[in-house]
Amino acid sequence: MGDGALSVREKSSTARVVPSARPRKLAKVPFVELADGRLQGVVSSGSDIGRVYVSSVEAGTYAFACSTNNNRPCGGARGMFCNHIRALVGEAVLQYGAERVARYLKAEVTAGEPDAHSITAAMTAARPAQGDSSAAAQVFSRFLRHLAYLELAPTTAPLPEMQWFPATRAVA
């Protein structure tokens, strides 16, 4: 995708908008990000429509954490990646591309082109420890903030809470 596909606002933004590698469905994993040295996001429960899980995998060590939105531990994350974390990796590959996810997580994929399965296999082969779930509140808060933006009417006017971003090409 060249610069011709970017809007004027995206070209002049201080933070580039990165398009998805492939379209993804948001029902199972509505929020995924590569941030704070982790792959982290929110994964919907398969059994309870009112429950979501906040899952994360730390880059390099692959320490993982998974808990519900009300800080109860995931029953499937006992010494190994649960299905929520596997879904998170899969959706991250769709969102960012397999090479970028593998590079960010520092996952050494040995056999050919990386994909969600090979990235997960490389990380589980390292026998990662269960990590700290203290970042879950921050991740869930960012997810709720993203949901709030979806409720806004479409507009090209600047959002007041985003005005702290520096203007580009501004003369001091």
Side-chain angles (χ1 to χ4, degrees), residues 55-73:
S55 305
S56 66
V57 178
E58 191 173 312
T61 66
Y62 317 127
F64 60 95
C66 188
S67 60
T68 65
N69 52 319
N70 52 1
N71 294 327
R72 292 199 173 99

Side-chain angles (χ1 to χ4, degrees), residues 8 10 12 40 58 67-68 81 85 94 96 101 104 131 137 141:
V8 172
E10 290 171 331
S12 64
Q40 53 196 15
E58 191 173 312
S67 60
T68 65
F81 289 173
I85 292 174
L94 290 178
Y96 299 107
V101 172
Y104 186 85
S141 177

Side-chain angles (χ1 to χ4, degrees), residues 9 148-157 159:
R9 186 174 66 187
Y149 286 120
L150 294 176
E151 294 175 356
L152 297 176
T155 181
T156 57
L159 296 172

Side-chain angles (χ1 to χ4, degrees), residues 74-86:
C74 172
R78 293 188 181 134
M80 65 179 130
F81 289 173
C82 61
N83 289 335
H84 307 114
I85 292 174
R86 294 177 188 281

